[in-house]
């Protein structure tokens, strides 16, 4: 955890860190057809894939990818990092 905190503090010092959260293991999964019913989840496959997220400030995808290469989990072969831009919603 110390490596993660150091990585995020370094991004914060450079103005790159915008936020982060770990996802809890419990949750609900909703399926289509307008059903309001849900099942307990996420399921094991999803828990292993998405454990949390880090939001960063970067001018473009290439810069974001360079920042993400510093993720400590990559050095431990325990993390897959997906780098994606955020698409803002239109005004409501």
């Amino acid at each position: 955890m110390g490596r993660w905190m150091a990585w995020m503090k370094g991004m914060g010092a450079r103005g790159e860190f915008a936020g982060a959260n770990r996802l809890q293991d419990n949750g609900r999964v909703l399926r289509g057809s307008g059903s309001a019913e849900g099942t307990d989840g996420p399921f094991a496959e999803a828990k292993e894939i998405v454990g949390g997220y880090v939001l960063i400030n970067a001018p473009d995808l290439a810069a974001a990818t360079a920042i993400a290469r510093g993720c400590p989990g990559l050095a431990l072969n325990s993390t897959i990092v997906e780098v994606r831009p955020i698409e803002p919603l239109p005004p409501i």
Side-chain angles (χ1 to χ4, degrees):
M1 192 57 147
R3 290 180 183 183
W4 284 89
M5 295 307 294
W7 177 55
M8 289 187 282
K9 285 180 180 179
M11 286 190 293
R14 295 183 300 274
E16 299 167 344
F17 183 79
N21 284 299
R22 181 187 175 282
L23 300 178
Q24 293 185 3
D25 293 335
N26 62 341
R28 302 292 283 168
V29 175
L30 303 177
R31 305 244 181 246
S33 300
S35 171
E37 292 188 36
T39 58
D40 289 335
F43 298 103
E45 300 84 21
K47 284 192 251 183
E48 292 169 3
I49 294 173
V50 181
Y53 63 89
V54 176
L55 296 174
I56 59 173
N57 293 312
D60 55 38
L61 188 58
T65 302
I67 294 166
R69 289 189 193 285
C71 175
L74 292 172
L76 303 171
N77 290 326
S78 65
T79 302
I80 296 171
V81 174
E82 185 174 343
V83 181
R84 301 176 89 183
I86 294 175
E87 181 154 345
L89 293 173
I92 298 175

